Amino acid sequence: MNRRYDPQSVEKKWQQIWEERRLFQSAEDPQRKKYYVLEMFPYPSGKIHMGHVRNYSIGDVVARYKRMRGFNVIHPMGWDAFGMPAENAAIQHGVHPAKWTEDNIAAMKKQLRRMGFSYDWRRELSTCDPSYYRWEQWLFLKMYEKGLAYKKSSSVNWCESCQTVLANEQVEAGRCWRCSEEVIQKEMEGWFFKITAYTEELLDYCDKLPGWPERVITMQKNWIGKSEGAIIHFPLGEREGFIPVFTTRQDTIFGATFMILAPEHPLTLELSGRTPQEREVREFVERIKKQDRAKRTAEDYEKEGLFIGAFCQNPLTGKEIPIFVGNFVLMDYGTGAVMAVPSHDQRDFYFAKKFNLPLVVVIQPEGEPSLSTERMTEAYTGEGILVNSGPFNAMPSCQARQAIASYLEEKGLGQGAVTYRLRDWGISRQRYWGTPIPIIYCQECGTMPVPEKDLPVVLPQDVQLTGLGISPLSNVPEFVNTSCPRCRKPGKRETDTMDTFVESSWYFERFCSPQENRGMFDRQKVHYWMPVDQYIGGIEHAILHLLYSRFYTRVLRDFGLVNFSEPFTNLLTQGMVVKETHFCSRDGFLFPEEVEDEKTCRKCGHPVQVGRTEKMSKSKKNVVEPDSLMDKYGADTVRLFCLFASPPEKDLEWNEQGVEGSFRFLNRVWRLMEEWAGISGRAELPRKEWNLPEALRHLRRKTHLTIKKVTEDIENRFHFNTAISAIMELVNLLYQDEGRLEDKTPFTLGVWREALESIVILLSPIVPHICEELWEILGQAESVSRVSWPEYEPEALKDEEVLIVIQVNGKLRGRVMVGVHASEEEVKEAVLANQRVQEFLKDQPVKKFVLVPKKLVNLVV
């Protein structure tokens, strides 16, 4: 009697066997080619979500597939354990961040094990462990010695609610990305890493990452933001000094009719002081500082500005021009000042029209009517010939840029320059739950690094967390008060902690030797395993995490710790998991289980509004719990749906029917294998000399086409969805043989054994638990995880051929031979590739493709 597929018992059984046999543990082996696959490690927030499941399922397929291809695979997992959520949870629930984090790690690890991911758990690490962050502090000291870590005062994004500094990317619409409170600008001292020392190299290497998505490369380049141009000095009107301005269009300087400063520019308030505009300017500056920086520079954002009551001089025309403050000028790009050329810059054009400021045309487009400021409806931003530009008249603008830069330098009015958008990395955070910065302040000796022998500087456990005031560490005398390592007089520790991006900038190296206690890592082991061959994570980390990791790796290289420059050879950014939202006018957003038949709120009976499809999030309650799915369908079904429903780089739209469909498919495979239980021990695999009948030859061809298709889809594109679809087609073909149980000839048994075993092996990286059980059902003793990946036989792909007559608009134009089982798409491809047909078509589009199977094709053009 056939057994019913019981995913829970099957999965529990094989997870235990995998652990007992230590199938996924890895060690260095110089005789084998290594493969390092890594998914971005998670923050231990409490439970894994469907985004985690999708990300880790993708990585696990790659890891299992590469093992079966003979690679020595390292596939580790750990925890990005520091961060504000743990601290906020401690404040809200009265639990220590360490306890909250530890409990969450235990819960999430249990879920990950239940999903059957093939991690080498011996390599598990947690960034909040002193044995980990000790070496982060050690490298900080080395960077401090070399000037790569330093302290300075700067204007920062400050969240009063979270009481911490935020990176620009953590400010959304002027609000904190975590608590949604308004962000303000604040002048603070903090520690920085000198990432700008590597700006040019980071930019150059963007073109040496062929395994990265072009979209991510573009985002990295834009964030670094290289611009070539000139620094021009605009003398101040009634006082000594000048305003330096960076521009990429120095060829337009004769058309500069006003100046615009960033609200954050120190001269904005200084020059408006003691003028009638002083109060209005101050209020404007405070208001604009709260606006989202990214939106301020957007083309469609309203351009706001205010005259500050001061003037400067255009250095080449000698004319006095007014100075404004504008919301679309940022202090962290260029010099924070813009020479406004309204005739040749669209934002300046809008601004000039709004404030009735003069326009001067200084570039005329070649071969077109002369531009007139009276008739201009938009700025002319292209190349052309200079006019109204003194000695540079009639010069092409592309040549004028170099000529004017040289002239400025010759006259002491400026010089050619290159600027970057990238700024040094501010790592200071005014929080408790992070890596302490190993610095001591002494009144006698100044800033002193903690001696290496005293590392790690460990976070104290007895800390009161209120969410108010300065860093919580400041209120722990036992931590703060220490002695100066040089003069031994009383000193005070630094109470800021490091940005959590620091921990995630080197964890992939630590995974290579997580128990190493003599240094950051074992260099020989890192030399063997690194760089990461395949890195997998969300597009939201395309800028900061990846850029900081690239920088940190270069620092390690320059200290002689690693021998490579780029940490990740290939990068896959998977799409989000999305689902429609449900909203009740009385109870707000609803969880899926709180909705009756997509229409009614189970809480109050009110009608439910089905909202748009959005990224799954707890705030919108459009989430599906992985545990509940595993309870109902098993982990393999969840994995299968996540991999089948969409290509990995696209968003995955959640569909309960799709999950049920995946479960039904696994049941079909189960029943098929049960019918042929023990076949591996009863049948000989096909041999080349076998003269197979047509039906078996067709089945064998389909088997090897499936092997070829699945291999190419996984190897070349990670298109697991089309790979799974190909396996489904083979399963369907086997079910179509109604006499499959009656015919038990050696040929039939052999071809069926090959087909069934191929299905199990090809599916095993995707749904490993059920495939282990089915492999055993077929009569195999070894774990399918240890089986070599099948190779397709070119001979088996060959098909009997038939002659297809080709007509174009009903007239005979050629002939082509195709396989007797060729699909319509394969016939079409062969027909259109025919040379005579191409001559008759002459690039004309085919309006209609008419196929009479195994006889003729008519192309209507």
Side-chain angles (χ1 to χ4, degrees):
M1 183 177 176
N2 290 343
R3 292 185 299 155
R4 181 179 63 86
Y5 171 45
D6 179 10
Q8 281 72 26
S9 63
V10 167
E11 290 167 6
K12 186 176 181 180
K13 167 187 172 181
W14 286 102
Q15 287 164 18
Q16 184 175 343
I17 291 173
W18 293 336
E19 189 162 351
E20 289 171 353
R21 296 181 183 176
R22 302 176 181 176
L23 289 185
F24 310 126
Q25 292 184 6
S26 53
E28 300 73 33
D29 183 352
Q31 304 306 314
R32 296 175 64 196
K33 189 173 181 181
K34 68 91 180 180
Y35 193 89
Y36 190 166
V37 58
L38 181 65
E39 305 94 64
M40 294 179 185
F41 66 166
Y43 180 80
S45 57
K47 289 184 177 181
I48 64 172
H49 51 67
M50 290 311 302
H52 289 130
V53 171
R54 188 186 191 200
N55 185 4
Y56 305 149
S57 294
I58 293 169
D60 198 52
V61 172
V62 177
R64 289 176 178 273
Y65 167 77
K66 289 293 183 179
R67 285 192 195 98
M68 297 173 82
R69 294 302 299 258
F71 286 87
N72 187 20
V73 173
I74 181 175
H75 188 206
M77 175 51 68
W79 312 97
D80 192 9
F82 274 141
M84 288 191 291
E87 201 163 327
N88 291 339
I91 296 167
Q92 294 168 14
H93 307 298
V95 58
H96 196 280
K99 173 65 174 170
W100 187 83
T101 301
E102 181 183 327
D103 290 346
N104 288 348
I105 287 174
M108 292 176 71
K109 184 175 180 179
K110 183 178 179 181
Q111 289 179 296
L112 294 178
R113 284 184 177 275
R114 192 178 176 192
M115 284 298 303
F117 298 134
S118 60
Y119 296 126
D120 182 353
W121 284 106
R122 297 174 310 153
R123 298 179 182 274
E124 180 184 10
L125 59 80
S126 177
T127 59
C128 65
D129 190 322
S131 67
Y132 181 87
Y133 66 72
R134 167 191 181 182
W135 299 109
E136 197 169 298
Q137 293 173 337
W138 176 84
L139 191 68
F140 176 95
L141 297 178
K142 297 300 179 186
M143 294 173 72
Y144 180 70
E145 289 175 10
K146 296 292 186 180
L148 291 172
Y150 66 95
K151 194 173 188 181
K152 72 172 182 177
S153 180
S154 66
S155 179
V156 297
N157 301 311
W158 177 260
C159 175
E160 281 289 341
S161 174
C162 293
Q163 287 289 299
T164 195
V165 173
L166 301 174
N168 289 342
E169 295 69 37
Q170 296 170 323
V171 181
E172 299 173 351
R175 296 184 177 275
C176 174
W177 68 319
R178 290 202 182 276
C179 69
S180 298
E181 289 297 314
E182 191 173 66
V183 172
I184 63 172
Q185 294 296 301
K186 189 174 183 178
E187 195 73 20
M188 290 185 66
E189 278 203 330
W191 286 92
F192 288 78
F193 283 162
K194 199 171 182 58
I195 190 173
T196 53
Y198 294 87
T199 302
E200 197 62 42
E201 185 184 350
L202 288 167
L203 183 62
D204 288 345
Y205 268 74
C206 283
D207 295 322
K208 300 175 184 178
L209 297 169
W212 284 38
E214 189 59 40
R215 177 185 178 193
V216 175
I217 293 293
T218 300
M219 292 168 77
Q220 293 258 312
K221 286 181 176 180
N222 290 343
W223 188 252
I224 295 170
K226 182 177 183 178
S227 298
E228 297 184 25
I231 296 284
I232 304 176
H233 302 163
F234 283 72
L236 291 167
E238 299 178 356
R239 52 180 283 180
E240 289 188 3
F242 57 84
I243 301 175
V245 171
F246 174 78
T247 178
T248 59
R249 293 299 304 269
Q250 58 268 28
D251 51 323
T252 65
I253 186 174
F254 285 87
T257 57
F258 56 100
M259 170 78 67
I260 312 176
L261 300 179
E264 300 86 359
H265 200 296
L267 286 176
T268 300
L269 295 179
E270 185 179 331
L271 294 177
S272 63
R274 300 193 189 92
T275 70
Q277 289 80 14
E278 180 177 12
R279 179 178 176 182
E280 195 176 359
V281 170
R282 188 174 299 277
E283 291 173 352
F284 178 88
V285 167
E286 292 304 314
R287 179 170 61 84
I288 300 302
K289 280 183 177 181
K290 296 176 182 178
Q291 293 181 355
D292 185 289
R293 293 191 184 193
K295 288 186 176 179
R296 278 168 54 182
T297 58
E299 288 293 333
D300 57 351
Y301 202 68
E302 182 185 358
K303 306 298 178 284
E304 297 185 71
L306 194 68
F307 175 54
I308 69 170
F311 296 85
C312 62
Q313 188 181 70
N314 184 318
L316 294 195
T317 67
K319 293 182 179 179
E320 186 178 69
I321 60 176
I323 304 173
F324 285 75
V325 58
N327 67 335
F328 60 93
V329 182
L330 300 181
M331 190 63 212
D332 57 4
Y333 180 75
T335 63
V338 170
M339 68 170 205
V341 185
S343 294
H344 303 291
D345 182 277
Q346 193 60 35
R347 289 184 307 180
D348 298 346
F349 182 85
Y350 289 142
F351 199 92
K353 289 295 183 182
K354 183 173 182 177
F355 291 96
N356 197 28
L357 296 165
L359 280 70
V360 176
V361 172
V362 293
I363 295 180
Q364 288 286 358
E366 287 190 85
E368 297 182 23
S370 297
L371 296 175
S372 167
T373 56
E374 290 77 18
R375 296 193 300 271
M376 289 182 78
T377 57
E378 63 180 4
Y380 174 69
T381 59
E383 301 288 349
I385 302 299
L386 266 63
V387 296
N388 301 320
S389 297
F392 304 99
N393 281 341
M395 186 178 291
S397 54
C398 55
Q399 296 178 18
R401 285 195 280 278
Q402 180 58 49
I404 290 175
S406 299
Y407 180 83
L408 290 167
E409 192 157 359
E410 180 186 325
K411 299 296 183 182
L413 299 172
Q415 66 276 332
V418 176
T419 67
Y420 300 87
R421 181 179 180 227
L422 183 66
R423 294 292 181 263
D424 282 341
W425 175 9
I427 65 161
S428 287
R429 296 294 181 268
Q430 294 67 43
R431 300 304 300 241
Y432 162 69
W433 195 235
T435 297
I437 296 175
I439 289 292
I440 295 170
Y441 300 105
C442 172
Q443 287 190 343
E444 297 288 332
C445 305
T447 301
M448 296 297 298
V450 172
E452 287 183 25
K453 65 180 180 61
D454 294 336
L455 297 179
V457 178
V458 179
L459 275 179
Q461 292 294 304
D462 188 13
V463 177
Q464 185 177 4
L465 303 173
T466 64
L468 303 174
I470 57 176
S471 170
L473 291 175
S474 301
N475 298 318
V476 186
E478 297 81 5
F479 176 81
V480 174
N481 297 321
T482 186
S483 59
C484 172
R486 177 187 290 170
C487 69
R488 311 312 300 172
K489 290 183 179 179
K492 293 189 179 296
R493 292 191 188 279
E494 172 63 70
T495 56
D496 283 356
T497 53
M498 293 191 207
D499 179 8
T500 55
F501 275 120
V502 180
E503 283 87 62
S504 60
S505 293
W506 69 285
Y507 75 104
F508 32 87
E509 276 114 359
R510 183 69 179 176
F511 270 141
C512 299
S513 54
Q515 280 79 45
E516 177 62 48
N517 59 14
R518 297 166 297 176
M520 293 185 77
F521 38 72
D522 184 309
R523 298 184 197 182
Q524 287 187 332
K525 292 180 178 181
V526 167
H527 179 68
Y528 176 79
W529 289 115
M530 287 292 292
V532 174
D533 294 282
Q534 184 62 60
Y535 199 36
I536 304 168
I539 192 69
E540 65 271 20
H541 299 296
I543 298 177
L544 291 188
H545 165 58
L546 294 175
L547 190 63
Y548 291 157
S549 297
R550 297 178 64 214
F551 158 67
Y552 216 74
T553 298
R554 284 163 169 78
V555 173
L556 294 172
R557 178 200 65 193
D558 289 352
F559 280 119
L561 300 177
V562 301
N563 61 350
F564 50 90
S565 300
E566 291 293 342
F568 314 119
T569 303
N570 297 292
L571 173 69
L572 172 66
T573 51
Q574 90 281 356
M576 298 180 295
V577 181
V578 298
K579 191 181 187 302
E580 76 279 355
T581 57
H582 294 89
F583 187 83
C584 171
S585 58
R586 175 177 168 179
D587 293 299
F589 286 108
L590 302 173
F591 289 109
E593 60 269 20
E594 295 173 337
V595 181
E596 186 76 41
D597 297 328
E598 295 286 311
K599 297 178 181 178
T600 309
C601 175
R602 286 181 171 172
K603 291 182 174 181
C604 65
H606 279 59
V608 167
Q609 178 183 349
V610 179
R612 64 182 182 179
T613 298
E614 299 183 49
K615 177 184 177 181
M616 283 189 178
S617 69
K618 292 178 182 177
S619 62
K620 298 291 179 66
K621 297 187 177 181
N622 61 334
V623 293
V624 178
E625 291 293 339
D627 277 346
S628 64
L629 290 170
M630 286 189 278
D631 289 341
K632 185 175 181 180
Y633 300 106
D636 281 339
T637 293
V638 180
R639 291 169 62 122
L640 182 64
F641 172 76
C642 286
L643 296 165
F644 179 58
S646 173
E649 70 276 7
K650 303 290 185 183
D651 288 349
L652 186 156
E653 187 168 345
W654 189 259
N655 184 309
E656 191 72 26
Q657 290 72 36
V659 181
E660 292 173 357
S662 297
F663 185 62
R664 285 196 301 271
F665 170 69
L666 293 184
N667 274 278
R668 292 190 82 211
V669 175
W670 178 276
R671 290 193 298 272
L672 190 63
M673 301 299 165
E674 280 279 359
E675 290 177 355
W676 293 83
I679 189 175
S680 297
R682 295 185 286 113
E684 181 184 2
L685 288 170
R687 296 201 301 264
K688 289 182 179 180
E689 62 267 21
W690 284 10
N691 185 18
L692 298 173
E694 167 62 19
L696 290 179
R697 196 160 59 246
H698 176 51
L699 173 54
R700 189 155 195 262
R701 179 173 182 269
K702 184 64 175 178
T703 297
H704 285 265
L705 282 172
T706 304
I707 294 170
K708 182 175 185 291
K709 170 70 172 169
V710 173
T711 303
E712 290 174 351
D713 281 349
I714 295 178
E715 184 73 38
N716 301 331
R717 297 178 291 274
F718 291 166
H719 280 191
F720 311 117
N721 57 323
T722 53
I724 294 167
S725 181
I727 299 171
M728 288 177 171
E729 289 179 13
L730 179 56
V731 171
N732 290 339
L733 180 63
L734 293 175
Y735 265 102
Q736 288 168 14
D737 183 359
E738 296 179 358
R740 61 183 180 273
L741 298 180
E742 284 73 37
D743 182 4
K744 297 295 173 102
T745 63
F747 284 179
T748 300
L749 289 174
V751 172
W752 269 76
R753 175 189 169 185
E754 183 180 46
L756 294 171
E757 289 184 357
S758 296
I759 288 170
V760 175
I761 296 171
L762 297 177
L763 272 176
S764 65
I766 298 164
V767 285
H769 308 89
I770 188 174
C771 289
E772 291 278 20
E773 190 71 13
L774 296 177
W775 195 241
E776 190 177 81
I777 286 172
L778 291 178
Q780 298 283 3
E782 186 181 16
S783 166
V784 73
S785 300
R786 292 290 180 89
V787 174
S788 295
W789 190 258
E791 300 283 346
Y792 71 87
E793 294 180 14
E795 282 295 316
L797 299 182
K798 292 181 179 179
D799 198 4
E800 287 187 15
E801 294 186 322
V802 293
L803 180 66
I804 298 291
V805 173
I806 307 171
Q807 296 178 344
V808 178
N809 291 338
K811 295 182 179 180
L812 178 63
R813 296 304 187 196
R815 295 175 177 83
V816 67
M817 299 296 292
V818 300
V820 69
H821 297 108
S823 66
E824 181 173 337
E825 191 60 35
E826 289 171 328
V827 174
K828 185 176 182 179
E829 185 178 333
V831 167
L832 294 178
N834 184 276
Q835 188 172 351
R836 289 202 65 202
V837 171
Q838 291 177 351
E839 292 172 1
F840 281 105
L841 289 179
K842 296 179 180 177
D843 297 326
Q844 296 179 79
V846 177
K847 297 179 181 177
K848 196 172 182 181
F849 181 86
V850 181
L851 171 64
V852 179
K854 301 182 182 179
K855 292 185 179 180
L856 69 83
V857 162
N858 184 30
L859 304 177
V860 180
V861 296

